[in-house]
């Protein structure tokens, strides 16, 4: 935490729900937070009446980060649809960036050498 608190930044990007404890550290105070959701952490198949399958800590962490984040970035439309199905209130702050990569034409390098 000491090293993290020395960084100067305007936007924090979090990729894992288990890092929700960082919200208590004060490091993100007055900072924008982007939570990248690679996968809504539910068992498959999941059920709407108990989507986290009783994993309360996972659910609590996921919901906490989703609530405090300024933007929720999903890595696919499918993941975004799942998120909105479970949490419709987050529709307006959700974006899709495929696999965390902007696939704007002309931006993808085809030469992999």
């Amino acid at each position: 935490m000491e090293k993290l608190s020395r960084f100067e930044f305007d936007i924090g990007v979090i990729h894992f729900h288990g890092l929700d404890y960082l919200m208590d550290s004060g490091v993100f105070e007055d900072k924008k937070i982007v939570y990248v959701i690679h996968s809504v952490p539910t068992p498959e198949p999941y059920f709407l009446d108990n989507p986290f399958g009783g994993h309360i800590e996972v659910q609590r962490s996921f919901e906490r980060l989703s609530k405090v984040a300024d933007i929720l970035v999903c890595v696919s439309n499918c993941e975004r649809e799942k998120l909105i199905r479970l949490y419709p209130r987050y529709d307006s702050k959700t974006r899709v960036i495929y696999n965390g990569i902007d696939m704007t034409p002309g931006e993808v390098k085809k030469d992999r050498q």
Side-chain angles (χ1 to χ4, degrees), residues 19-80:
L19 296 174
D20 71 306
Y21 67 90
L22 292 173
M23 299 305 104
D24 297 329
S25 69
V27 171
F28 291 96
E29 194 172 7
D30 301 326
K31 308 283 194 248
K32 296 287 185 183
I33 299 172
V34 174
Y35 177 26
V36 179
I37 301 170
H38 297 271
S39 177
V40 178
T42 60
E44 295 296 335
Y46 70 94
F47 302 97
L48 290 176
D49 62 339
N50 185 16
F52 291 86
H55 297 281
I56 302 303
E57 278 301 308
V58 171
Q59 182 175 0
R60 184 196 64 78
S61 296
F62 180 78
E63 288 178 350
R64 182 177 187 198
L65 276 179
S66 297
K67 181 179 179 181
V68 301
D70 296 284
I71 296 177
L72 301 171
V73 174
C74 295
V75 299
S76 69
N77 278 319
C78 183
E79 236 16 79
R80 181 182 186 276

